[in-house]
């Protein structure tokens, strides 16, 4: 059998199965799950490989430094600040993986690894310093009403005085957005402990991707008329979720943090599935597709191929994300 004939028969077979898959989509989204609730507290475990392996143990340890933080919250702050880049430097002269400005580092930087030097460029110092700084801020506002973690984050953004003045999170739009962003983003770094809520937009995203089957791949493609309606892998997933009102980042490894992470046996149609050459680091993700059920996804695989159905079970399979509108909104525009 020729490759072309094999593809035609595979398309027919999987296409026939898709009608069942779409029924599954409709059925499964009538079932509500429960997402682990709560922020702060020391019992939260990190989602598998969501934090690069080089930093995971440090984040897990220091994320339990006080009751106002947890490892997932600390991970969310580091991701928001630098995308886990230990060499990051901002135009405002913020430095390192935790983006301390020199004046703040001079006061709050600690020697986390015990080598006799507090080095803002060394994650073994900067991550403990970030946790220590969070806990100091929490201690400053511990007597204020409201959620201690939200008050700590507000103090991080607006200063402890503002939290004390207003008796909790101050009425500053920027500060309220920061608190909401970090607490939402933390959910993408926390290991789920209960069934995850299905995504209401998933069926629409699948429908969009299904309509693009057979479209030639284009590296960097966003599906614009100038590009002949062609996509690469993350361009397709971005467009599919944009069709249902959810804006995802452009690249696959940032799309990974658009929601919590179901395990392989908990996948539902509409989940994004990710692939990486490094099974310990979400920042090394190189491919993404939209799960449709039955072990298959719709994806734009590579140059010379077309958008098609592919099995998800291969050696590069990394994990999955259940996209949420709030999760997507919480993602930094650049990391």
């Amino acid at each position: 059998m020729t490759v072309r004939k094999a593809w035609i028969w595979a398309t027919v077979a999987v296409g026939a199965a898709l009608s069942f898959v779409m029924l599954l989509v409709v059925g499964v989204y009538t079932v509500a799950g429960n997402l682990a609730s709560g922020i702060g507290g020391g019992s939260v475990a990190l989602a598998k490989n969501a934090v690069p392996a080089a930093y995971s143990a440090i984040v897990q340890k220091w994320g339990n430094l006080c009751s106002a933080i947890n490892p997932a919250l600390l991970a969310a702050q580091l991701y928001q600040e630098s995308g886990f880049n230990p060499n990051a430097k901002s135009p405002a002269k913020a430095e390192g993986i935790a983006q301390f400005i020199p004046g703040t580092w001079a006061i709050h930087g600690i020697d986390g690894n015990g080598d006799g030097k507090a080095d803002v460029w060394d994650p073994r110092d900067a991550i403990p310093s970030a946790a220590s700084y969070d806990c100091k801020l929490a201690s400053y506002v511990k007597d204020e009403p409201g959620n201690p973690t939200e008050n700590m984050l507000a103090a991080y953004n607006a200063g402890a005085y503002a939290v004390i003045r207003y008796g909790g999170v101050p009425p500053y739009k920027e500060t309220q957005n920061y608190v909401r962003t970090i607490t939402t983003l933390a959910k993408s770094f926390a290991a789920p402990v209960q069934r995850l809520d299905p995504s209401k937009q998933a069926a629409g995203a699948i429908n969009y991707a299904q309509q693009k089957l057979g479209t030639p791949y284009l590296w960097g493609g966003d599906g614009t008329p100038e590009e002949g309606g062609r996509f690469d892998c993350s361009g397709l997933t971005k467009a599919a979720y944009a069709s249902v009102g959810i804006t995802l980042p452009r690249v696959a490894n940032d799309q990974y943090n658009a929601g919590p992470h179901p395990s392989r046996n908990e996948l539902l149609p509409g989940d994004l599935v990710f692939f990486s050459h490094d099974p310990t680091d979400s920042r090394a993700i190189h491919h993404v597709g939209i799960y449709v059920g039955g072990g298959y996804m719709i994806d734009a695989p590579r140059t010379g191929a077309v958008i098609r159905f592919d099995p998800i079970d291969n050696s590069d399979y990394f994990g999955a994300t259940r996209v949420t509108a709030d999760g997507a909104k919480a993602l930094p525009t650049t990391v």
Side-chain angles (χ1 to χ4, degrees), residues 270-328:
D271 290 346
L272 296 186
V273 285
F274 296 87
F275 303 83
S276 176
H277 296 310
D278 182 347
T280 68
D281 186 358
S282 65
R283 305 306 294 157
I285 286 170
H286 65 81
H287 188 57
V288 59
I290 301 177
Y291 188 65
V292 295
Y296 279 84
M297 64 180 170
I298 297 175
D299 69 327
R302 62 180 181 277
T303 299
V306 298
I307 295 173
R308 66 193 190 189
F309 296 100
D310 273 321
I312 70 167
D313 292 315
N314 66 57
S315 60
D316 277 359
Y317 179 76
F318 182 85
T321 296
R322 187 150 301 156
V323 174
T324 68
D326 286 343

Side-chain angles (χ1 to χ4, degrees), residues 17-309:
L18 188 60
S19 60
F20 168 77
V21 169
M22 294 309 294
L23 288 174
L24 177 63
V25 171
V26 173
V28 80
Y29 294 112
T30 64
V31 180
N34 294 313
L35 179 62
S37 61
I39 54 176
S43 61
V44 176
L46 292 172
K48 183 179 180 182
N49 299 327
V51 175
Y55 314 126
S56 181
I58 307 173
V59 171
Q60 187 70 54
K61 173 185 175 180
W62 287 90
N64 290 307
L65 184 62
C66 67
S67 61
I69 64 173
N70 64 52
L73 193 86
L74 180 58
Q77 287 183 294
L78 296 170
Y79 174 69
Q80 172 78 16
E81 295 294 339
S82 71
F84 300 108
N85 178 7
N87 301 312
K89 187 169 184 177
S90 79
K93 302 187 184 301
E95 299 173 334
I97 195 170
Q99 289 291 276
F100 278 95
I101 62 173
T104 304
W105 180 260
I107 300 171
H108 297 286
I110 66 174
D111 176 16
N113 62 352
D115 66 356
K117 179 184 178 182
D119 183 359
V120 72
W121 301 107
D122 187 342
R124 298 171 298 172
D125 292 338
I127 294 173
S129 297
S132 175
Y133 184 44
D134 280 344
C135 291
K136 286 179 181 177
L137 290 172
S139 73
Y140 299 156
V141 298
K142 63 182 177 61
D143 295 327
E144 302 310 314
N147 183 285
T149 298
E150 293 180 354
N151 287 344
M152 177 275 293
L153 290 170
Y156 184 97
N157 180 264
Y161 173 76
V163 177
I164 295 169
R165 177 187 177 190
Y166 288 100
V169 178
Y172 307 153
K173 184 175 181 181
E174 177 187 335
T175 302
Q176 292 175 343
N177 183 64
Y178 180 80
V179 171
R180 182 170 53 253
T181 292
I182 296 300
T183 54
T184 300
L185 191 58
K187 296 175 183 178
S188 77
F189 289 99
V193 295
Q194 295 179 349
R195 179 184 172 91
L196 298 175
D197 287 327
S199 167
K200 296 177 182 179
Q201 294 90 350
I206 291 174
N207 182 61
Y208 180 93
Q210 182 185 3
Q211 294 177 26
K212 305 302 178 182
L213 287 168
T215 303
Y217 175 96
L218 176 66
W219 187 85
D222 289 309
T224 65
E226 295 78 12
E227 296 166 328
R230 296 177 291 168
F231 299 90
D232 65 7
C233 65
S234 56
L236 175 64
T237 52
K238 184 178 188 296
Y241 269 95
S243 74
V244 291
I246 294 179
T247 301
L248 292 174
R250 179 59 182 84
V251 297
N253 59 11
D254 287 332
Q255 292 179 4
Y256 183 74
N257 292 106
H261 308 296
S263 63
R264 171 64 182 85
N265 62 357
E266 295 172 332
L267 289 178
L268 293 177
D271 290 346
L272 296 186
V273 285
F274 296 87
F275 303 83
S276 176
H277 296 310
D278 182 347
T280 68
D281 186 358
S282 65
R283 305 306 294 157
I285 286 170
H286 65 81
H287 188 57
V288 59
I290 301 177
Y291 188 65
V292 295
Y296 279 84
M297 64 180 170
I298 297 175
D299 69 327
R302 62 180 181 277
T303 299
V306 298
I307 295 173
R308 66 193 190 189
F309 296 100

